[in-house]
Every structure is written in C-alpha cells, then in structure tokens.
Amino acid sequence: MKTIAVVGGGITGLCALYEMERQAKAQNIDAQFILIEKNDYVGGKIHTVTTDEFAMEVGADSIVARHPGVLAMVEELGMAQELVYNETGTSYIHTNGELHGIPLNSTFGIPMSVESLMQSTLLTEAGKERALQDVTTPNTTFTKDDSIGHFLTSCFGDELVTKQIAPVLSGVYSGNLYELSIASTIPYLLDYKKQFGSIIKGFEANREKFEKANDKKFISFKRGLSSFAERVCQSLTKTEVLTNVQLELLEKKGEQYALYLSNCDIRYVDEVVLTTPHDVTRRFFNDDALQPYFDGFRNGSAITLYLGYDVPDAILPADGTGFIVSHNSSLQCNACTWTSRKWKHTSKHEKLLVRLFYKDVHPRYEEFKAMSDAELVRVAMDDIKMSLDVTDEPTICEVTKWIDQMPRYDLAHRKTRDALVDYLAIHYPNVVLAGCSFYGVGVGACMQNGREIATRVISTIS
C-alpha cells in the first residue's frame, strides 16, 4: 500500500486529497493519505470570522464562478443550496477627491469596446484618442513572457494604463504591472492582439462569452468560504487529518521519505505533495544545493481591515460595490470593498461593513506595517470619513496582516519555478510542488491545480 502525504491544508491541499481519494476509489487503488496542517483549522487563506452581526473573510473573499470545475465540485459536495453570488454594480476609482465609475463594459479597467472607452470620466480626450490606436496598431514584438504593463502601454498609451487600468490590475495581482508578465496575468490579451489586431476587437468578438459571465462573476457561501473548505475536509474518508502539526524536515530514505513532525512523530511515505508557500517549503529541506532555487521567488504583503458600523448600508451610493484608489488620491488605502453591499449575507441586518486594503506598493506601507491595530483602525476610519462621509465609531474592527504572504508573479517567476521543479524531479522524485506560490493566484486556480496534481500523483502509483 502506498502512502501519500499532503503538506498544507489550504484549498490546494484539500482539493488534491479530494481528487486523489476519488480517483483511488474509481481505480480500486489501495492507498492511504495524510494531511499535515499547522493551524487548528483547514482552509489556509480561506478563513471566515463571524460576529453576531457580520461575517468577514480575512483572506480570499470569493471564488471566480466560471473557473473550470468550481461549480461542479460545489454540486458534488452537496453545497449548491449554500451558494451566494455577488451583487453587481459600479466599481469606482477614487481620484482627486472624487469617485469616478469604471465603465461597466470593461474588465480589469480595460475597455471592452470603443463605447466603453469613450464613457470613461477618468481620461482626457487626448488620452482616449491615444487609446484608440489599439484598433490600428498590430503587435510585432511582445510575447507572453514580457511585462503586462509595457504591453498595455504600447497598445493604449500611458494615460489609460495609469489612470484606469493600473489601479485595478495592480490591486488584483498585488504588484507593479511593469514587473508582472503577460503569462501570469491576462495571457488571452496577447492572443486577442494577434488574432484580431486589437485587444478591443478581441473583446468585441468574444462579447457573448463575457456578457454571460459578467453579472454573477463570484461565489461565496451562506456561512462563509470556510464552510466550503470544511466540507471538503469532511468528505475525506480515507485521509488522516493532522492539525496543529507542522512538518519540520523532509528526508529521503531509500525509496521513501521520512517526515519529521512537530509532535515528535516520524511518518514514512511514498509521495509528498507540498502546497505550502515557497518560503515555508524551503525550510523542509536540509539541502544547501536546493536553497538557491527558492531565492528567485518573491512575495508581497497586504494589511486588510474590516470596519462594521451601526448605520444602514443604504448610505452607500445606490449602485456601487467599492472603489480602488489612484495614485493622485488623498486616501491612504489602496482599495475599499463595500462588503455589505457586494455580499448581502455578510450583514444580517443590512448594517454597513467595509473592507480596506493597505498594500506594500503604498509609499507609507512600512509605516503602516509598524502600527498597532488601534493605529491602523484610526487610519482606516479617516479614509472612510473622507470617501464616504461616515463619522460614526465602528462597532467591530478586524485587522489582518498578510506580511510576505502574497505570491508575486514577476517576470522571472515561471523560469524560477521550472528550474526548481526540474531539480526536485532529479534529486527528490515523487516530491511535488503545488499551490499559489507556484501555479496560480486565486481560489479557483488553486482548486484546479490541486486536482491536476492529484491526477499526476495517482498515475504514478496506479
């Protein structure tokens, strides 16, 4: 009987185990599984904090509904009746003391039609004219390994990218657009440019696909995202789940691996799936030759704050769901989600709940990082006062610091990952990397990666 260990009980590890159990049963494979998770709960960056009034996602707040396999897995787990979808409405950019709506027919701030471009209140007429050159200027030099920032600037000009696209896209991918590759962000834009000669024309040709997915893009659950992670874990009938236990050392022992655990236990296994962040994963190996392979990975940081108020959510702009902050705003946050508006299930009595983001791209980030929770709350309250004119004291505050825990897919990421994978294949066969540090940002991408890795692992033992 083969023994397979999964290290890390986030959504990647959970989905890997779910798929391995399913395939092992279908193929009548005799195997046993172990999950090793350092926290006393599963889910990793999926974690819901609840009070009598509010539900707050301190990590990821939703799953992209159209991501392959997501809704099918929800059905398999019997959670379809628990699903909730995001409320739709206008997203804003805060600039020069005002909220400007991002045109609805856009994605990541990128106009999907000429009409959408012309509707923008953020651009000058000259900026719009420059952006229209996308329609007539072909791509002759860019590949998917190039910078998404340089590519978009080449297509649309600096004004559209700086004022409308960068605030959105930098927020989603937690990095500087000029240090992120096309491949790791929106690779299909280059395909559109190649096939149609224009990004805008590419969107117009695929209008039906985007319109179908546009209204209800994201899902969560009535009891929060944690309920989904917990349900996946509960479905694992052939897995020994170890929580409050850390892997301290992985050592090759003949054809197997010895896993030295923080509870003084040693487990001998045949296959290991490491879903932990790269800076955690590197500590499992006592191998000086391996360590340089981890040096090329980069992490970002973010501080998030929830403020809940005893005032009605109705004070918000009628059609809005939140805003992103531009470079010339007086606000200190990078973005603010009007959570009680976007996700109705997060506020039992329709009270105002907002979530603010302070990221390491902000010039004052190091100052914010050193602040106490109380000091951060005061900064956030000032931002809410300036942006929404809410002067009440919040009834609930929830501060979460994700310090060096946000994977950053810079231009060297894929090359760095592939070199590490090649080294492991030679020196540590049957040790597999998975998770957001290596294979994709977002819950849906991690779910897919976990299940794909499971297929690879099962194929080696079948």
Side-chain angles (χ1 to χ4, degrees), residues 148-328:
I148 185 68
H150 287 121
F151 173 58
L152 291 172
T153 301
S154 172
C155 295
F156 295 115
D158 183 68
E159 185 176 343
L160 175 59
V161 173
T162 301
K163 292 183 176 180
Q164 185 167 303
I165 298 175
V168 182
L169 205 54
S170 293
V172 171
Y173 290 98
S174 298
N176 184 325
L177 293 193
Y178 298 94
E179 297 174 358
L180 299 171
S181 70
I182 299 171
S184 66
T185 50
I186 323 175
Y188 61 81
L189 295 185
L190 191 63
D191 298 332
Y192 287 174
K193 192 70 173 175
K194 180 179 180 180
Q195 183 177 355
F196 302 100
S198 159
I199 292 174
I200 290 177
K201 287 182 179 178
F203 277 124
E204 289 176 337
N206 290 273
R207 182 190 299 271
E208 185 177 350
K209 178 180 73 173
F210 281 93
E211 285 180 346
K212 283 182 178 178
N214 194 46
D215 284 344
K216 300 293 186 180
K217 291 182 179 179
F218 305 101
I219 61 170
S220 185
F221 299 88
K222 293 176 182 178
R223 294 180 293 112
L225 285 180
S226 281
S227 66
F228 179 66
E230 290 161 1
R231 182 68 63 87
V232 179
C233 190
Q234 291 164 5
S235 75
L236 303 177
T237 59
K238 302 297 184 182
T239 299
E240 181 184 4
V241 178
L242 304 177
T243 56
N244 280 318
V245 176
Q246 296 189 59
L247 174 61
E248 296 190 338
L249 179 65
L250 181 156
E251 195 170 67
K252 198 170 188 308
K253 296 286 187 180
E255 297 298 314
Q256 288 191 308
Y257 291 94
L259 305 183
Y260 297 85
L261 307 181
S262 59
N263 62 0
C264 299
D265 195 4
I266 303 174
R267 296 299 182 98
Y268 294 90
V269 303
D270 301 286
E271 307 261 350
V272 186
V273 180
L274 301 174
T275 73
T276 42
H278 65 84
D279 50 340
V280 175
T281 303
R282 72 186 304 167
R283 298 199 293 266
F284 301 152
F285 297 90
N286 184 18
D287 182 348
D288 291 341
L290 175 60
Q291 296 307 316
Y293 287 90
F294 286 99
D295 292 339
F297 293 100
R298 297 289 179 266
N299 278 339
S301 301
I303 300 168
T304 70
L305 291 93
Y306 278 100
L307 302 180
Y309 293 88
D310 188 21
V311 298
D313 171 89
I315 68 167
L316 293 170
D319 63 343
T321 57
F323 62 81
I324 298 162
V325 178
S326 78
H327 68 286
N328 57 350

Side-chain angles (χ1 to χ4, degrees), residues 234-421:
Q234 291 164 5
S235 75
L236 303 177
T237 59
K238 302 297 184 182
T239 299
E240 181 184 4
V241 178
L242 304 177
T243 56
N244 280 318
V245 176
Q246 296 189 59
L247 174 61
E248 296 190 338
L249 179 65
L250 181 156
E251 195 170 67
K252 198 170 188 308
K253 296 286 187 180
E255 297 298 314
Q256 288 191 308
Y257 291 94
L259 305 183
Y260 297 85
L261 307 181
S262 59
N263 62 0
C264 299
D265 195 4
I266 303 174
R267 296 299 182 98
Y268 294 90
V269 303
D270 301 286
E271 307 261 350
V272 186
V273 180
L274 301 174
T275 73
T276 42
H278 65 84
D279 50 340
V280 175
T281 303
R282 72 186 304 167
R283 298 199 293 266
F284 301 152
F285 297 90
N286 184 18
D287 182 348
D288 291 341
L290 175 60
Q291 296 307 316
Y293 287 90
F294 286 99
D295 292 339
F297 293 100
R298 297 289 179 266
N299 278 339
S301 301
I303 300 168
T304 70
L305 291 93
Y306 278 100
L307 302 180
Y309 293 88
D310 188 21
V311 298
D313 171 89
I315 68 167
L316 293 170
D319 63 343
T321 57
F323 62 81
I324 298 162
V325 178
S326 78
H327 68 286
N328 57 350
S329 170
S330 57
L331 300 181
Q332 300 303 309
C333 63
N334 295 99
C336 177
T337 300
W338 302 338
T339 304
S340 53
R341 173 64 56 79
K342 187 175 181 180
W343 297 102
K344 294 294 188 184
H345 71 286
T346 61
S347 181
K348 291 181 181 177
H349 301 98
E350 298 183 351
K351 301 294 186 182
L352 178 64
L353 178 67
V354 297
R355 188 185 192 188
L356 299 98
F357 298 80
Y358 298 83
K359 301 187 177 183
D360 60 3
V361 294
H362 195 288
R364 291 185 62 196
Y365 173 74
E366 290 300 324
E367 182 183 345
F368 296 149
K369 180 180 173 182
M371 286 183 178
S372 67
D373 286 1
E375 290 170 326
L376 286 167
V377 167
R378 183 55 57 186
V379 172
M381 288 174 61
D382 288 343
D383 279 344
I384 293 302
K385 179 180 178 181
M386 284 191 285
S387 60
L388 297 175
D389 198 29
V390 175
T391 58
D392 297 59
E393 289 284 325
T395 59
I396 189 72
C397 307
E398 182 71 31
V399 180
T400 308
K401 296 181 178 180
W402 297 103
I403 308 301
D404 294 327
Q405 296 186 61
M406 315 292 288
R408 183 161 286 164
Y409 278 45
D410 61 18
L411 297 174
H413 180 274
R414 183 163 62 174
K415 183 178 180 181
T416 301
R417 180 199 65 201
D418 291 348
L420 173 59
V421 168

